[in-house]
């Protein structure tokens, strides 16, 4: 039987001079599918160690990723980090599951939030 809670997309984002671990937690079982994304501030040393261990770098794009026949794209929320604002997408296909960040302005963020898009929780103090 599969574990009901797993880690989905996970990557290291460098936003300005700060590093963040972007993580999707997936909870799935009969009748339940919960998959929030969180940001966790890390130190430069933690980020470097995680990258060396195989954690991928977060992708930054200029425009929203597009779904294809083999790729699922889901808007997960709005991220406020280090004075910048991003739309966060989960982009998943048969071989990868990664977060993609698209920079937006405050007006765009407010519009998304008013229309029901979640704010991504960020743990701002490194562990």
């Amino acid at each position: 039987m599969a574990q009901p809670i797993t880690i989905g997309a996970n990557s290291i984002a460098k936003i300005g001079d700060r590093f963040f671990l972007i993580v999707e937690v997936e909870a799935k079982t009969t009748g339940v599918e919960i998959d929030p994304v969180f940001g966790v501030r890390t130190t430069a040393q933690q980020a470097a160690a995680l990258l060396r261990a195989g954690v991928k770098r977060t992708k930054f794009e200029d425009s929203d990723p597009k779904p294809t026949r083999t790729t699922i794209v889901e808007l997960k929320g709005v991220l406020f980090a280090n004075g910048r604002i991003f739309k966060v997408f989960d982009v998943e296909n048969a071989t990868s599951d990664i977060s993609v960040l698209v920079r937006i302005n405050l007006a765009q963020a407010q519009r998304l939030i008013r229309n029901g898009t979640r704010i991504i929780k960020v743990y701002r103090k490194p562990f």
Side-chain angles (χ1 to χ4, degrees):
M1 178 176 253
Q3 290 291 320
I5 299 175
T6 58
I7 299 298
N10 59 90
S11 57
I12 295 291
K14 184 176 183 186
I15 301 173
D17 61 348
R18 295 184 178 166
F19 293 89
F20 298 85
L21 174 62
I22 308 295
V23 179
E24 177 187 30
V25 177
E26 298 178 340
K28 295 180 183 177
T29 190
T30 305
V32 175
E33 185 168 337
I34 303 168
D35 54 358
V37 171
F38 299 93
V40 180
R41 173 96 188 280
T42 66
T43 65
Q45 294 79 14
Q46 290 168 328
L50 290 166
L51 290 166
R52 282 192 304 274
V55 176
K56 294 179 180 161
R57 292 183 185 275
T58 303
K59 291 185 180 181
F60 292 85
E61 300 288 343
D62 294 328
S63 60
D64 296 355
K66 304 290 183 225
T68 66
R69 191 174 52 78
T70 59
T71 303
I72 299 167
V73 175
E74 182 182 2
L75 175 61
K76 302 304 287 188
V78 176
L79 173 70
F80 295 83
N82 202 24
R84 295 176 175 95
I85 310 168
F86 301 89
K87 288 192 279 187
V88 178
F89 293 90
D90 179 37
V91 179
E92 187 173 354
N93 62 32
T95 60
S96 71
D97 189 4
I98 188 98
S99 293
V100 173
L101 276 58
V102 177
R103 191 154 181 195
I104 59 174
N105 62 40
L106 182 58
Q108 292 169 306
Q110 289 171 333
R111 189 169 32 259
L112 286 165
I113 293 163
R114 271 194 313 273
N115 289 326
T117 302
R118 287 177 169 39
I119 297 173
I120 303 284
K121 172 67 178 166
V122 177
Y123 293 91
R124 299 192 183 282
K125 185 175 178 184
F127 284 85

